[in-house]
Amino acid sequence: MAKAKPLAVVAGDALVDWFEASSVRKPQTESGSDALHWASQPRIERWVQPGGSLLVADFLRAAGTRAVASPVARGLRQIPCSRIIHSYADVELFPLGSGGKERDEKSYRVQAFNGYCGPSRGKPAQLPIRGDKAVAELVVLDDNNNGFRQRPEVWPLAVTRKKEAVVILKTCSPVAQGPLWDHLSAHFADRLITVVKADDLRLEGVHISRRLSWERTVKDLMWQYQNHPSFSALRQSAFLIVRFGVEGAVLLCNREPECKGYLYYDPGIGEESFRQLYKGAMPGMGSAFIAGLAICVSEAREEEIRRGIQHGLLCAREVWKKGFGPDARRFAYARDAFAPGPLRKTAIEEVRIPDFLCEEGSRSESWSLLHDLATRGLEQAACFYVEHGWDTALDRVPAARYRDLYSIDRSEIESYRSIHNLIHEYLNSEKKSKPLAVAVFGAPGSGKSFGIGEIAESVAPGRIEKIEFNLSQFTAVQDLIAAFHKIRDIALGGRIPLVFFDEFDSEFGGANGWLRFFLSPIQDGSFREGEAIHPLGKAIFVFAGGTHPTFAEFAAGGKKAGSDNCAVFSAAEKAAKLPDFISRLRGFINIKGPNPAGAEDPYYIVRRALLWRFLISSNAKHLLGSDKKLAINRSVLRALLRVPCYKHGVRSMIALLDMSMLANRRSFEPAALPSRTQLNLHVDADAFYDLVLQDTLLSSQIEKMAKAIHERYRMDQAGRKSASDPAMQPWENLKSDLIRSNLDAAADIPIKLEALGYTFVPERGDIKPIEFDPVEVERLALMEHERWNRERRTAGWTLGERNADAHTTPYLVPWEQLPEDVKEWDREAVRAIPRALADAGFRVEKIK
């Protein structure tokens, strides 16, 4: 006899959702009595779908993992809005996606939400639950503040009687209020999972930044969580999930004495960005999320909720992607998104929120997911990215991409997105006709004009026309007036001028002498020429610093605070109109470029990696194989990444590539590098060639170390693994892929050791190997797992059940998601490094 499925009860506010689309009919060509007039007129299509708790129940049934008891509404078209609330939206056919075949395929999604209709008096009816039982293990409540929270008589029996079920509550503003919340927090607090949208918290005055960076979002949320009154009641819930659309979520675990949190995010996009990839909108995303979450939850354990959040986001995104389908006759939600399927990789990543952000009163600005990457090996990740164009660790870091502009630095991302938001709002507002003024700072050659240009083009492709003026070359005010005329001509031609005023902070009759001449054009949107006043029209003014590498240095006078905490400027600065100019700016960016921005900037090596991959892919494509792998000598690559300074920023990187003899080569080898004299124009040639030589000498020892690593592995695994195991064979009998794996592991040892401040030196005689302490072992094991991930992905392995023939493994996941016994494999491997090196004749020691 088949085992009965566990019972889930779904209840809450129900909706009837109406969707409408219009299409234009072609005029009739036939005549006569059979030609009906209406058939030549615009045609209206209307569809109806369940919403609210009805939709949650439908999604949960589609998964097929539980028996589902829920409200049932037959004949949705016949149910009046005086009984159940109706919603109305316009739909149209949108491209299924933004790339490849998806651009050509269509699906219905929402073009505009039009509003709601409900009873003119009183509250909407609450539907009875069909099949309700007090013994249900799971209760899912969809509370949209439309009456359900105030009606105990329609709550599930498992909530009102037995009170032993796990409860998932999706709620909205006002949060944590009403009889339902009071009842759940009193009787189910240790089994209550509360889901709330970030926008509902914002409605209640909770300040959470929007569309800047995931780190900033978490910092804001955690501070508000500790201090805002809205959270005092929500903290009673065992688990609180704050949902940021379909792009991310935050899980806060309140069972422990100290709060613990996790961030779920899509590294490639920020909040509210999914619709840029999949045009239109989709209702029911909250319903899809809690249904996906409920599929994974049975006992309110932390690990199943963490898995459920990822599944919920995956299901919601799939429903959005597929829309209502392309066929008007089969207009429906994609319920197959909830069907059970094999283990697979998703775009959603999970990271533990640092404890210091969970502490009461924490206002730390320092957390960065890129900083967390440092423990996984920045140089490993940088080298691999240049070679392959992707990296398992870097792929987990939030990124901002605008056409060819790509950044994973948190401060740059926040600045870029802030400018993107400004430009987007400016260009899409008919009321704004005066120029938008922003500033950009950075060292020469850092890519100041490139960054802003890519952002503007991504917002308004085909509408932007770039024009540049270098103010240090202007000798009179008339030069600036001539520039304004050129800007005005572009605007009159129907395009948006993107104007770069380079070196705007140069001298002209004194420091910052040009600033005064921009006050009226920015403030009034016009400029004066003699007695005539000319309107400029819509334009984006970008002021690029020439003498100040950062905004803080440009506005240094304003850093001196007066008694009222306001900026204090010197008389000279006031005379130059510095404070007036700053007040007219709407944003700024500090671009770091390829060189270290100080001693506390280890991330320059990653910025260089992104730049080098882009430059070589653009200018030396013949070095890329069919698999997009770059053919480059490892010693050259490390020198490109680790040279102390590029003298002229990105320009020096471009020059070095231009000077290298790559035209008829299949690989970027040391022999292709320019001479020391040429190289010295753009880098310290001696330091560069020292790095090349150092790595070349090291490479000659790799095979020796690889053999020692393998022999040490055979010794450690003797008695645990069969002698016939392919990995237990002598070096000369090893399969080629296992030899390659050992060589990769050996090549990675110097990077691992350097990350901990160690090196290795050759030594004769008996060598007593050192032992790493537990903290060092953990860090090295994490780095080793990242290396293994890269190796497996490069070889074509994918996430799935363990199957060597099919090249699938369940361990192709971040370190945090590995089982403890699997983590121990990596720990054993790195503990053996000093012994393996000793076997090869090398002693490990601290770098002096």
Side-chain angles (χ1 to χ4, degrees), residues 20 96 107 162 234 262 285 389 402 420 433 441 462 482 497 786:
E20 185 174 288
L96 195 60
S107 182
K162 198 168 183 182
L234 288 171
Y262 296 88
M285 293 299 94
Y402 301 102
H420 176 274
S433 57
F441 297 88
E786 291 291 350

Side-chain angles (χ1 to χ4, degrees), residues 478-708:
Q478 195 59 40
D479 294 333
L480 185 57
I481 291 174
F484 285 145
H485 275 294
K486 290 180 181 179
I487 296 165
R488 185 167 179 262
D489 289 344
I490 294 171
L492 290 172
R495 296 171 68 80
I496 306 295
L498 178 64
V499 191
F500 287 92
F501 292 106
D502 203 9
E503 298 191 57
F504 78 98
D505 49 354
S506 58
E507 291 196 0
F508 181 67
N512 293 315
W514 286 107
L515 301 188
R516 68 176 68 250
F517 300 104
F518 287 102
L519 301 184
S520 179
I522 298 172
Q523 182 72 28
D524 304 322
S526 61
F527 65 97
R528 180 183 292 275
E529 184 181 22
E531 295 300 316
I533 296 177
H534 304 284
L536 280 163
K538 237 180 172 64
I540 302 169
F541 285 4
V542 181
F543 295 94
T547 61
H548 301 93
T550 67
F551 176 77
E553 291 187 36
F554 169 66
K559 295 187 73 174
K560 309 180 188 82
S563 57
D564 56 358
N565 207 33
C566 292
V568 176
F569 292 89
S570 69
E573 288 165 338
K574 290 179 181 179
K577 302 299 182 181
L578 176 61
D580 301 271
F581 179 81
I582 290 173
S583 72
R584 285 162 170 77
L585 293 177
R586 295 297 176 261
F588 71 89
I589 300 178
N590 290 326
I591 296 178
K592 295 179 179 177
N595 292 321
E600 301 299 318
D601 178 27
Y603 315 121
Y604 74 92
I605 196 169
V606 178
R607 296 198 298 274
R608 287 181 177 180
L610 302 183
L611 285 166
W612 273 120
R613 177 72 189 188
F614 171 72
L615 292 174
I616 295 174
S617 299
S618 302
N619 302 297
K621 292 180 181 178
H622 63 284
L623 298 181
L624 301 178
S626 58
D627 58 355
K628 302 301 180 184
K629 183 179 179 181
L630 172 64
I632 186 170
N633 176 274
R634 181 163 292 197
S635 60
V636 172
L637 174 54
R638 292 192 72 194
L640 292 174
L641 293 174
R642 296 183 64 189
V643 67
C645 176
Y646 286 99
K647 295 179 180 180
H648 310 291
V650 179
R651 296 189 192 110
S652 289
M653 298 173 73
I654 296 171
L656 194 155
L657 193 61
D658 289 343
M659 293 187 300
S660 296
M661 296 173 286
L662 299 173
N664 298 310
R665 296 182 185 271
R666 295 185 178 181
S667 176
F668 198 159
E669 300 292 333
L673 290 167
S675 68
R676 286 179 182 264
T677 305
Q678 290 178 306
L679 199 57
N680 211 45
L681 292 169
H682 297 281
V683 296
D684 181 330
D686 291 339
F688 189 94
Y689 272 108
D690 284 349
L691 287 166
V692 172
L693 181 61
Q694 173 188 339
D695 219 67
T696 301
L697 293 173
L698 186 61
S699 298
S700 66
Q701 306 296 324
I702 295 299
E703 184 172 352
K704 185 178 180 181
M705 290 191 292
K707 289 179 178 179

